[in-house]
Amino acid sequence: MSIMSLQNVKVCFESQVILKSINLEIKRGEAFVIIGPSGQGKTTLLKTLSGLVTPQNGKVFIEQKEWLTLSFKEQLPVLRKMGILFQKNALFDSFTCIENIAFPLQELGTLTEREIEKKAEYFLDAVGMAHARDLFPDEISGGMQKRLGIARALALDPEIIFYDDPTAGLDPITAKKIIDLIIFLKNQQDSTIVAVTNDMNRAYQLADRIGMVIDGGLLMTGTPEETRNHPDLRVQQFIHGNLTGPLNAMT
Amino acid sequence: MISLFTETFLGVFRPPFRKKEFFQQLHFVANTSLAIIVFCVSFAAIVTILESSFHMKLVIQNDSMVPGFAAVLILRELAAIVTALLLASRIGAGYAAEIGSMQITEQIDALKMLGIDPINYLVVPRFLASIAGTMMLTVIANVFCLLSAILVSQLYLGFTFGMFISSMHRFVHFQDIIFSMIKGACFGAVIPIVASYFGFNCKQGAEGVGHATTNTVVLASIGIIVVDFILSYTFSHIY
């Protein structure tokens, strides 16, 4: 059963077409990884799926609800089932690490101060950052900021989690730790994951299904095995990182 | 901008009511701006009374009405507009830079994804705090303007305290104080709406934040002057 779907979605920023006629269904509980060269619309696709970007054409369904017809109040219960790790983390810089996690819980308004603190400490501990409790985001490293972003995304126990390039700018060891953490948390919570990455090793590690975005369109979707054996030369060039091939003309 | 104003105005009556954020913003608007406003409006009042006296003596060879005229000018116009223009630069630029930075670092999107309405969380407390703060500062500015005017007229123009008060009594009415506070409230409403609008529409990068703050100061100042004209015109009919 699909938890999110896009039907003929077209997204433009000013006069530039970013996504053209995208049709996509994400199934409940699956890990869908979006790959593709830089600047082709991966992040926009992720943000459209999460309801953050409003398309000019087409329909967005989240939890069987037509997203664009809902008011913010009607979207609220669905939004609280979602978590997102942004590409630049989007941590609240005036809050400490623990406050960043506690903030969405406070806004929920259903927990006591003690319960909020306990839950925030639990998530901080789960991402291995208990020692950074009272530090501000600009006082911690990039890897720690990613982990804090993941902890905040998970704070509301979301059913759908979006990861926008979770390993961008991280060293290979930290990147592997982050992916292992995402996989561990997914298995623990049985959530639906949509992630964007350029790193094929991480994509294979994480994905149940991979979708490749090129020039604002969804070129292919398939399992990691299907992606590896896909006949399209653009897919092969991207996954092998070849310097020459049909993608050069496009990027 | 009109839609932002409408949403903010309606948001004032919709829960959650954010007392903590309101008082934080009120502190930012009122407390931290107090000294600079008192300093500037006092000098503006001194210049006003000295210039009025000089020109009245020049034209009608008599400056006995200066305290009354100056008091009316201070209460109806000077304190409110100088306060608002200073706040437009100070808090308007601050709000635009803060919201603009949040916009380009995706913190606004993060709020939405956490189920928090950015207008309710960011704009409504600033809107209310700016209205309340500007009103309070306008009253304080009025007091300091009048005190400066009394002091200067005693030291340099030869009016005693009693003469100043009796002259002021002839020209100033209670409505002037109310009008001044209404002006303060309206000017206070303009600043956060303009700042939030440019903050939410901030383009990427440091340049984008720079543009947002510059545009805020310019448009908020223009807005204040236009609103001042509309209110003064309206009040002149009510008077």
Side-chain angles (χ1 to χ4, degrees):
Chain A
M1 195 172 108
S2 84
I3 194 164
M4 283 171 285
S5 65
L6 303 181
Q7 289 178 2
N8 286 318
V9 160
K10 180 185 175 188
V11 176
C12 307
F13 290 146
E14 291 168 2
S15 59
Q16 201 184 350
V17 180
I18 309 294
L19 295 178
K20 32 190 168 186
S21 199
I22 298 266
N23 288 293
L24 177 65
E25 272 193 20
I26 310 286
K27 294 185 194 81
R28 194 176 290 276
E30 86 169 327
F32 184 79
V33 175
I34 304 164
I35 59 166
S38 301
Q40 303 289 307
K42 298 188 298 292
T43 295
T44 308
L45 176 58
L46 180 121
K47 286 190 173 179
T48 310
L49 279 166
S50 68
L52 275 174
V53 167
T54 307
Q56 274 65 40
N57 274 337
K59 291 177 178 174
V60 179
F61 290 91
I62 304 175
E63 293 248 316
Q64 281 80 48
K65 293 183 176 83
E66 197 182 336
W67 195 248
L68 304 174
T69 62
L70 303 178
S71 67
F72 186 76
K73 205 176 168 186
E74 289 166 326
Q75 289 176 352
L76 211 58
V78 182
L79 282 171
R80 289 196 167 147
K81 289 182 190 171
M82 295 188 201
I84 187 164
L85 171 70
F86 288 90
Q87 199 169 26
K88 295 175 204 157
N89 306 315
L91 299 168
F92 300 117
D93 41 23
S94 55
F95 293 166
T96 61
C97 291
I98 189 97
E99 285 168 349
N100 261 284
I101 305 172
F103 179 55
L105 299 168
Q106 284 163 345
E107 287 296 317
L108 205 59
T110 54
L111 302 173
T112 64
E113 278 301 309
R114 184 73 206 112
E115 285 169 330
I116 289 168
E117 198 184 336
K118 265 181 91 173
K119 203 166 177 188
E121 277 169 354
Y122 167 78
F123 280 110
L124 210 52
D125 199 34
V127 294
M129 285 189 53
H131 61 287
R133 190 182 191 281
D134 297 318
L135 296 178
F136 285 92
D138 62 356
E139 294 171 333
I140 59 177
S141 69
M144 286 165 86
Q145 286 181 5
K146 284 276 176 217
R147 283 189 276 159
L148 180 59
I150 293 172
R152 187 184 65 183
L154 297 172
L156 296 175
D157 299 321
E159 290 172 23
I160 312 163
I161 313 172
F162 299 91
Y163 295 100
D164 190 357
D165 221 347
T167 56
L170 300 179
D171 66 85
I173 298 165
T174 313
K176 187 169 184 332
K177 278 185 192 168
I178 295 280
I179 293 296
D180 288 346
L181 176 68
I182 291 171
I183 295 170
F184 170 75
L185 293 168
K186 179 187 163 17
N187 293 337
Q188 208 179 34
Q189 302 186 334
D190 199 24
S191 46
T192 306
I193 285 181
V194 180
V196 165
T197 185
N198 281 322
D199 184 333
M200 285 314 297
N201 290 330
R202 310 287 167 235
Y204 292 141
Q205 219 180 329
L206 185 62
D208 294 323
R209 206 153 57 102
I210 293 174
M212 185 162 176
V213 177
I214 287 186
D215 196 22
L218 202 52
L219 181 68
M220 55 79 56
T221 59
T223 61
E225 202 49 43
E226 287 166 347
T227 310
R228 273 196 196 97
N229 301 321
H230 201 278
D232 195 293
L233 291 175
R234 290 169 291 180
V235 178
Q236 289 305 316
Q237 187 194 350
F238 181 78
I239 63 176
H240 293 112
N242 295 334
L243 292 177
T244 52
L247 284 178
N248 293 35
M250 302 176 70
T251 56
Chain B
M1 203 176 293
I2 291 166
S3 116
L4 178 65
F5 174 76
T6 313
E7 278 185 61
T8 307
F9 185 74
L10 295 174
V12 170
F13 307 100
R14 280 193 207 124
F17 303 109
R18 299 180 182 278
K19 281 184 222 151
K20 188 182 153 203
E21 284 79 14
F22 168 77
F23 284 112
Q24 273 175 351
Q25 293 306 322
L26 189 62
H27 172 78
F28 174 63
V29 175
N31 275 24
T32 56
S33 311
L34 183 63
I36 188 158
I37 282 171
V38 165
F39 181 82
C40 293
V41 292
S42 300
F43 273 91
I46 291 167
V47 172
T48 304
I49 198 156
L50 289 177
E51 284 287 336
S52 306
S53 167
F54 172 74
H55 288 283
M56 277 201 182
K57 275 184 190 162
L58 200 71
V59 178
I60 57 171
Q61 287 79 45
N62 183 345
D63 67 349
S64 61
M65 286 188 291
V66 162
F69 273 132
V72 167
L73 192 60
I74 285 166
L75 286 173
R76 287 188 70 117
E77 190 61 42
L78 191 77
I81 194 99
V82 173
T83 302
L85 289 174
L86 286 168
L87 286 177
S89 316
R90 200 182 167 277
I91 65 161
Y95 283 167
E98 191 182 355
I99 296 175
S101 304
M102 288 183 79
Q103 177 66 37
I104 63 171
T105 56
E106 298 177 310
Q107 290 180 55
I108 304 281
D109 284 344
L111 283 175
K112 286 183 200 160
M113 288 302 290
L114 293 170
I116 299 161
D117 180 0
I119 291 179
N120 180 280
Y121 181 69
L122 294 171
V123 189
V124 172
R126 282 166 175 75
F127 179 72
L128 292 175
S130 179
I131 291 175
T134 312
M135 274 173 79
M136 286 192 257
L137 287 172
T138 303
V139 173
I140 296 168
N142 277 328
V143 172
F144 277 90
C145 276
L146 288 174
L147 289 176
S148 321
I150 290 169
L151 190 71
V152 168
S153 57
Q154 245 182 342
L155 292 177
Y156 296 103
L157 306 177
F159 294 105
T160 63
F161 179 75
M163 285 159 77
F164 191 98
I165 295 296
S166 83
S167 172
M168 192 175 123
H169 199 252
R170 272 194 290 149
F171 286 87
V172 174
H173 299 91
F174 182 68
Q175 295 101 297
D176 295 324
I177 298 162
I178 302 295
F179 289 164
S180 167
M181 286 174 72
I182 293 171
K183 275 189 177 180
C186 294
F187 298 159
V190 170
I191 300 166
I193 296 296
V194 174
S196 303
Y197 174 80
F198 284 112
F200 283 132
N201 292 293
C202 182
K203 299 269 184 284
Q204 287 294 320
E207 201 183 343
V209 178
H211 279 303
T213 51
T214 309
N215 290 340
T216 296
V217 175
V218 172
L219 205 75
S221 303
I222 294 170
I224 286 166
I225 289 165
V226 172
V227 170
D228 187 34
F229 162 73
I230 295 166
L231 291 176
S232 294
Y233 185 77
T234 311
F235 293 157
S236 68
H237 285 278
I238 299 171
Y239 209 36

PDB file of all heavy atoms in Angstrom, chain A residues 213-238:
ATOM      1  N   VAL A 213      17.169  10.296 -10.692  1.00  0.00           N
ATOM      2  CA  VAL A 213      16.630  11.535 -11.248  1.00  0.00           C
ATOM      3  C   VAL A 213      17.660  12.140 -12.203  1.00  0.00           C
ATOM      4  O   VAL A 213      18.815  12.349 -11.816  1.00  0.00           O
ATOM      5  CB  VAL A 213      16.302  12.549 -10.129  1.00  0.00           C
ATOM      6  CG1 VAL A 213      15.814  13.864 -10.718  1.00  0.00           C
ATOM      7  CG2 VAL A 213      15.260  11.993  -9.175  1.00  0.00           C
ATOM      8  N   ILE A 214      17.226  12.367 -13.417  1.00  0.00           N
ATOM      9  CA  ILE A 214      18.097  13.045 -14.382  1.00  0.00           C
ATOM     10  C   ILE A 214      17.272  14.091 -15.113  1.00  0.00           C
ATOM     11  O   ILE A 214      16.171  13.788 -15.594  1.00  0.00           O
ATOM     12  CB  ILE A 214      18.735  12.048 -15.371  1.00  0.00           C
ATOM     13  CG1 ILE A 214      19.818  11.248 -14.641  1.00  0.00           C
ATOM     14  CG2 ILE A 214      19.355  12.761 -16.570  1.00  0.00           C
ATOM     15  CD1 ILE A 214      20.615  10.330 -15.504  1.00  0.00           C
ATOM     16  N   ASP A 215      17.802  15.289 -15.149  1.00  0.00           N
ATOM     17  CA  ASP A 215      17.178  16.380 -15.889  1.00  0.00           C
ATOM     18  C   ASP A 215      15.703  16.570 -15.502  1.00  0.00           C
ATOM     19  O   ASP A 215      14.839  16.755 -16.358  1.00  0.00           O
ATOM     20  CB  ASP A 215      17.318  16.110 -17.395  1.00  0.00           C
ATOM     21  CG  ASP A 215      17.047  17.371 -18.216  1.00  0.00           C
ATOM     22  OD1 ASP A 215      17.176  18.472 -17.644  1.00  0.00           O
ATOM     23  OD2 ASP A 215      16.693  17.241 -19.403  1.00  0.00           O
ATOM     24  N   GLY A 216      15.436  16.485 -14.201  1.00  0.00           N
ATOM     25  CA  GLY A 216      14.079  16.744 -13.705  1.00  0.00           C
ATOM     26  C   GLY A 216      13.093  15.617 -13.923  1.00  0.00           C
ATOM     27  O   GLY A 216      11.921  15.751 -13.602  1.00  0.00           O
ATOM     28  N   GLY A 217      13.561  14.509 -14.455  1.00  0.00           N
ATOM     29  CA  GLY A 217      12.665  13.368 -14.668  1.00  0.00           C
ATOM     30  C   GLY A 217      13.155  12.139 -13.920  1.00  0.00           C
ATOM     31  O   GLY A 217      14.340  12.050 -13.575  1.00  0.00           O
ATOM     32  N   LEU A 218      12.255  11.220 -13.664  1.00  0.00           N
ATOM     33  CA  LEU A 218      12.640   9.986 -12.979  1.00  0.00           C
ATOM     34  C   LEU A 218      13.013   8.973 -14.060  1.00  0.00           C
ATOM     35  O   LEU A 218      12.137   8.409 -14.721  1.00  0.00           O
ATOM     36  CB  LEU A 218      11.461   9.512 -12.128  1.00  0.00           C
ATOM     37  CG  LEU A 218      11.743   8.594 -10.957  1.00  0.00           C
ATOM     38  CD1 LEU A 218      12.817   9.138 -10.033  1.00  0.00           C
ATOM     39  CD2 LEU A 218      10.461   8.354 -10.169  1.00  0.00           C
ATOM     40  N   LEU A 219      14.318   8.754 -14.245  1.00  0.00           N
ATOM     41  CA  LEU A 219      14.788   7.899 -15.337  1.00  0.00           C
ATOM     42  C   LEU A 219      14.441   6.437 -15.092  1.00  0.00           C
ATOM     43  O   LEU A 219      14.039   5.714 -16.000  1.00  0.00           O
ATOM     44  CB  LEU A 219      16.307   8.070 -15.498  1.00  0.00           C
ATOM     45  CG  LEU A 219      16.962   7.263 -16.597  1.00  0.00           C
ATOM     46  CD1 LEU A 219      16.519   7.751 -17.956  1.00  0.00           C
ATOM     47  CD2 LEU A 219      18.471   7.349 -16.474  1.00  0.00           C
ATOM     48  N   MET A 220      14.630   5.962 -13.865  1.00  0.00           N
ATOM     49  CA  MET A 220      14.329   4.565 -13.545  1.00  0.00           C
ATOM     50  C   MET A 220      14.021   4.418 -12.063  1.00  0.00           C
ATOM     51  O   MET A 220      14.431   5.255 -11.251  1.00  0.00           O
ATOM     52  CB  MET A 220      15.503   3.642 -13.922  1.00  0.00           C
ATOM     53  CG  MET A 220      16.867   3.980 -13.332  1.00  0.00           C
ATOM     54  SD  MET A 220      17.211   3.515 -11.616  1.00  0.00           S
ATOM     55  CE  MET A 220      16.925   1.800 -11.556  1.00  0.00           C
ATOM     56  N   THR A 221      13.281   3.391 -11.714  1.00  0.00           N
ATOM     57  CA  THR A 221      13.174   2.963 -10.319  1.00  0.00           C
ATOM     58  C   THR A 221      13.326   1.446 -10.316  1.00  0.00           C
ATOM     59  O   THR A 221      12.887   0.768 -11.244  1.00  0.00           O
ATOM     60  CB  THR A 221      11.812   3.318  -9.672  1.00  0.00           C
ATOM     61  OG1 THR A 221      10.771   2.701 -10.404  1.00  0.00           O
ATOM     62  CG2 THR A 221      11.575   4.799  -9.573  1.00  0.00           C
ATOM     63  N   GLY A 222      13.961   0.940  -9.282  1.00  0.00           N
ATOM     64  CA  GLY A 222      14.139  -0.511  -9.195  1.00  0.00           C
ATOM     65  C   GLY A 222      14.922  -0.879  -7.955  1.00  0.00           C
ATOM     66  O   GLY A 222      15.408  -0.013  -7.229  1.00  0.00           O
ATOM     67  N   THR A 223      15.043  -2.171  -7.731  1.00  0.00           N
ATOM     68  CA  THR A 223      15.799  -2.649  -6.570  1.00  0.00           C
ATOM     69  C   THR A 223      17.287  -2.337  -6.794  1.00  0.00           C
ATOM     70  O   THR A 223      17.693  -2.052  -7.935  1.00  0.00           O
ATOM     71  CB  THR A 223      15.635  -4.171  -6.420  1.00  0.00           C
ATOM     72  OG1 THR A 223      16.163  -4.772  -7.604  1.00  0.00           O
ATOM     73  CG2 THR A 223      14.173  -4.554  -6.229  1.00  0.00           C
ATOM     74  N   PRO A 224      18.103  -2.433  -5.762  1.00  0.00           N
ATOM     75  CA  PRO A 224      19.540  -2.209  -5.974  1.00  0.00           C
ATOM     76  C   PRO A 224      20.110  -3.122  -7.071  1.00  0.00           C
ATOM     77  O   PRO A 224      20.924  -2.680  -7.881  1.00  0.00           O
ATOM     78  CB  PRO A 224      20.140  -2.524  -4.599  1.00  0.00           C
ATOM     79  CG  PRO A 224      19.052  -2.196  -3.636  1.00  0.00           C
ATOM     80  CD  PRO A 224      17.792  -2.563  -4.323  1.00  0.00           C
ATOM     81  N   GLU A 225      19.640  -4.360  -7.126  1.00  0.00           N
ATOM     82  CA  GLU A 225      20.116  -5.307  -8.142  1.00  0.00           C
ATOM     83  C   GLU A 225      19.721  -4.835  -9.542  1.00  0.00           C
ATOM     84  O   GLU A 225      20.535  -4.840 -10.472  1.00  0.00           O
ATOM     85  CB  GLU A 225      19.495  -6.687  -7.826  1.00  0.00           C
ATOM     86  CG  GLU A 225      20.248  -7.872  -8.414  1.00  0.00           C
ATOM     87  CD  GLU A 225      21.738  -7.844  -8.153  1.00  0.00           C
ATOM     88  OE1 GLU A 225      22.159  -7.530  -7.019  1.00  0.00           O
ATOM     89  OE2 GLU A 225      22.491  -8.099  -9.106  1.00  0.00           O
ATOM     90  N   GLU A 226      18.459  -4.411  -9.675  1.00  0.00           N
ATOM     91  CA  GLU A 226      17.983  -3.912 -10.973  1.00  0.00           C
ATOM     92  C   GLU A 226      18.747  -2.659 -11.394  1.00  0.00           C
ATOM     93  O   GLU A 226      19.010  -2.445 -12.573  1.00  0.00           O
ATOM     94  CB  GLU A 226      16.481  -3.609 -10.902  1.00  0.00           C
ATOM     95  CG  GLU A 226      15.610  -4.857 -10.876  1.00  0.00           C
ATOM     96  CD  GLU A 226      14.158  -4.581 -10.476  1.00  0.00           C
ATOM     97  OE1 GLU A 226      13.855  -3.478  -9.979  1.00  0.00           O
ATOM     98  OE2 GLU A 226      13.338  -5.495 -10.632  1.00  0.00           O
ATOM     99  N   THR A 227      19.085  -1.844 -10.407  1.00  0.00           N
ATOM    100  CA  THR A 227      19.832  -0.618 -10.714  1.00  0.00           C
ATOM    101  C   THR A 227      21.229  -0.967 -11.224  1.00  0.00           C
ATOM    102  O   THR A 227      21.693  -0.404 -12.219  1.00  0.00           O
ATOM    103  CB  THR A 227      19.930   0.264  -9.452  1.00  0.00           C
ATOM    104  OG1 THR A 227      18.633   0.409  -8.907  1.00  0.00           O
ATOM    105  CG2 THR A 227      20.515   1.629  -9.747  1.00  0.00           C
ATOM    106  N   ARG A 228      21.862  -1.895 -10.535  1.00  0.00           N
ATOM    107  CA  ARG A 228      23.218  -2.322 -10.947  1.00  0.00           C
ATOM    108  C   ARG A 228      23.228  -2.823 -12.392  1.00  0.00           C
ATOM    109  O   ARG A 228      24.167  -2.579 -13.134  1.00  0.00           O
ATOM    110  CB  ARG A 228      23.690  -3.466 -10.039  1.00  0.00           C
ATOM    111  CG  ARG A 228      24.372  -3.011  -8.780  1.00  0.00           C
ATOM    112  CD  ARG A 228      25.140  -4.168  -8.143  1.00  0.00           C
ATOM    113  NE  ARG A 228      25.467  -3.829  -6.777  1.00  0.00           N
ATOM    114  CZ  ARG A 228      24.750  -4.214  -5.720  1.00  0.00           C
ATOM    115  NH1 ARG A 228      23.681  -4.944  -5.875  1.00  0.00           N
ATOM    116  NH2 ARG A 228      25.119  -3.849  -4.507  1.00  0.00           N
ATOM    117  N   ASN A 229      22.157  -3.542 -12.764  1.00  0.00           N
ATOM    118  CA  ASN A 229      22.129  -4.173 -14.095  1.00  0.00           C
ATOM    119  C   ASN A 229      21.307  -3.381 -15.113  1.00  0.00           C
ATOM    120  O   ASN A 229      20.957  -3.916 -16.169  1.00  0.00           O
ATOM    121  CB  ASN A 229      21.537  -5.591 -13.969  1.00  0.00           C
ATOM    122  CG  ASN A 229      22.352  -6.439 -13.017  1.00  0.00           C
ATOM    123  OD1 ASN A 229      23.577  -6.355 -13.005  1.00  0.00           O
ATOM    124  ND2 ASN A 229      21.678  -7.228 -12.194  1.00  0.00           N
ATOM    125  N   HIS A 230      21.002  -2.133 -14.782  1.00  0.00           N
ATOM    126  CA  HIS A 230      20.135  -1.358 -15.686  1.00  0.00           C
ATOM    127  C   HIS A 230      20.850  -1.095 -17.013  1.00  0.00           C
ATOM    128  O   HIS A 230      22.029  -0.729 -17.030  1.00  0.00           O
ATOM    129  CB  HIS A 230      19.750  -0.025 -15.019  1.00  0.00           C
ATOM    130  CG  HIS A 230      18.509   0.573 -15.608  1.00  0.00           C
ATOM    131  ND1 HIS A 230      18.534   1.311 -16.756  1.00  0.00           N
ATOM    132  CD2 HIS A 230      17.213   0.498 -15.232  1.00  0.00           C
ATOM    133  CE1 HIS A 230      17.299   1.689 -17.053  1.00  0.00           C
ATOM    134  NE2 HIS A 230      16.483   1.208 -16.135  1.00  0.00           N
ATOM    135  N   PRO A 231      20.137  -1.276 -18.144  1.00  0.00           N
ATOM    136  CA  PRO A 231      20.823  -1.144 -19.442  1.00  0.00           C
ATOM    137  C   PRO A 231      21.135   0.294 -19.854  1.00  0.00           C
ATOM    138  O   PRO A 231      22.004   0.511 -20.710  1.00  0.00           O
ATOM    139  CB  PRO A 231      19.821  -1.760 -20.424  1.00  0.00           C
ATOM    140  CG  PRO A 231      18.497  -1.664 -19.744  1.00  0.00           C
ATOM    141  CD  PRO A 231      18.746  -1.719 -18.286  1.00  0.00           C
ATOM    142  N   ASP A 232      20.471   1.283 -19.231  1.00  0.00           N
ATOM    143  CA  ASP A 232      20.681   2.675 -19.672  1.00  0.00           C
ATOM    144  C   ASP A 232      22.128   3.110 -19.362  1.00  0.00           C
ATOM    145  O   ASP A 232      22.616   2.951 -18.239  1.00  0.00           O
ATOM    146  CB  ASP A 232      19.691   3.591 -18.936  1.00  0.00           C
ATOM    147  CG  ASP A 232      19.616   4.950 -19.594  1.00  0.00           C
ATOM    148  OD1 ASP A 232      20.635   5.689 -19.554  1.00  0.00           O
ATOM    149  OD2 ASP A 232      18.557   5.271 -20.144  1.00  0.00           O
ATOM    150  N   LEU A 233      22.757   3.668 -20.374  1.00  0.00           N
ATOM    151  CA  LEU A 233      24.167   4.044 -20.229  1.00  0.00           C
ATOM    152  C   LEU A 233      24.368   5.152 -19.196  1.00  0.00           C
ATOM    153  O   LEU A 233      25.409   5.222 -18.536  1.00  0.00           O
ATOM    154  CB  LEU A 233      24.718   4.504 -21.586  1.00  0.00           C
ATOM    155  CG  LEU A 233      24.853   3.407 -22.642  1.00  0.00           C
ATOM    156  CD1 LEU A 233      25.298   4.003 -23.970  1.00  0.00           C
ATOM    157  CD2 LEU A 233      25.834   2.329 -22.187  1.00  0.00           C
ATOM    158  N   ARG A 234      23.332   6.021 -19.045  1.00  0.00           N
ATOM    159  CA  ARG A 234      23.444   7.112 -18.064  1.00  0.00           C
ATOM    160  C   ARG A 234      23.471   6.555 -16.641  1.00  0.00           C
ATOM    161  O   ARG A 234      24.233   7.008 -15.789  1.00  0.00           O
ATOM    162  CB  ARG A 234      22.274   8.093 -18.218  1.00  0.00           C
ATOM    163  CG  ARG A 234      22.361   8.900 -19.500  1.00  0.00           C
ATOM    164  CD  ARG A 234      21.099   9.662 -19.774  1.00  0.00           C
ATOM    165  NE  ARG A 234      19.990   8.770 -20.117  1.00  0.00           N
ATOM    166  CZ  ARG A 234      18.760   9.164 -20.398  1.00  0.00           C
ATOM    167  NH1 ARG A 234      18.458  10.444 -20.369  1.00  0.00           N
ATOM    168  NH2 ARG A 234      17.817   8.308 -20.698  1.00  0.00           N
ATOM    169  N   VAL A 235      22.649   5.519 -16.413  1.00  0.00           N
ATOM    170  CA  VAL A 235      22.623   4.871 -15.095  1.00  0.00           C
ATOM    171  C   VAL A 235      23.978   4.215 -14.839  1.00  0.00           C
ATOM    172  O   VAL A 235      24.571   4.377 -13.762  1.00  0.00           O
ATOM    173  CB  VAL A 235      21.478   3.822 -15.017  1.00  0.00           C
ATOM    174  CG1 VAL A 235      21.488   3.117 -13.661  1.00  0.00           C
ATOM    175  CG2 VAL A 235      20.136   4.475 -15.272  1.00  0.00           C
ATOM    176  N   GLN A 236      24.480   3.520 -15.833  1.00  0.00           N
ATOM    177  CA  GLN A 236      25.767   2.829 -15.677  1.00  0.00           C
ATOM    178  C   GLN A 236      26.908   3.822 -15.443  1.00  0.00           C
ATOM    179  O   GLN A 236      27.770   3.586 -14.600  1.00  0.00           O
ATOM    180  CB  GLN A 236      26.054   1.965 -16.918  1.00  0.00           C
ATOM    181  CG  GLN A 236      25.170   0.735 -17.025  1.00  0.00           C
ATOM    182  CD  GLN A 236      25.230  -0.142 -15.766  1.00  0.00           C
ATOM    183  OE1 GLN A 236      26.309  -0.386 -15.218  1.00  0.00           O
ATOM    184  NE2 GLN A 236      24.078  -0.595 -15.280  1.00  0.00           N
ATOM    185  N   GLN A 237      26.874   4.930 -16.169  1.00  0.00           N
ATOM    186  CA  GLN A 237      27.941   5.928 -15.979  1.00  0.00           C
ATOM    187  C   GLN A 237      27.894   6.491 -14.558  1.00  0.00           C
ATOM    188  O   GLN A 237      28.915   6.623 -13.895  1.00  0.00           O
ATOM    189  CB  GLN A 237      27.807   7.080 -16.989  1.00  0.00           C
ATOM    190  CG  GLN A 237      29.015   8.018 -16.912  1.00  0.00           C
ATOM    191  CD  GLN A 237      28.808   9.347 -17.634  1.00  0.00           C
ATOM    192  OE1 GLN A 237      27.824   9.525 -18.364  1.00  0.00           O
ATOM    193  NE2 GLN A 237      29.729  10.267 -17.443  1.00  0.00           N
ATOM    194  N   PHE A 238      26.673   6.785 -14.099  1.00  0.00           N
ATOM    195  CA  PHE A 238      26.544   7.396 -12.758  1.00  0.00           C
ATOM    196  C   PHE A 238      26.964   6.411 -11.660  1.00  0.00           C
ATOM    197  O   PHE A 238      27.744   6.761 -10.788  1.00  0.00           O
ATOM    198  CB  PHE A 238      25.099   7.860 -12.522  1.00  0.00           C
ATOM    199  CG  PHE A 238      24.932   8.511 -11.174  1.00  0.00           C
ATOM    200  CD1 PHE A 238      25.355   9.813 -10.952  1.00  0.00           C
ATOM    201  CD2 PHE A 238      24.414   7.797 -10.104  1.00  0.00           C
ATOM    202  CE1 PHE A 238      25.239  10.398  -9.698  1.00  0.00           C
ATOM    203  CE2 PHE A 238      24.290   8.376  -8.849  1.00  0.00           C
ATOM    204  CZ  PHE A 238      24.700   9.672  -8.648  1.00  0.00           C
TER     205      PHE A 238
END
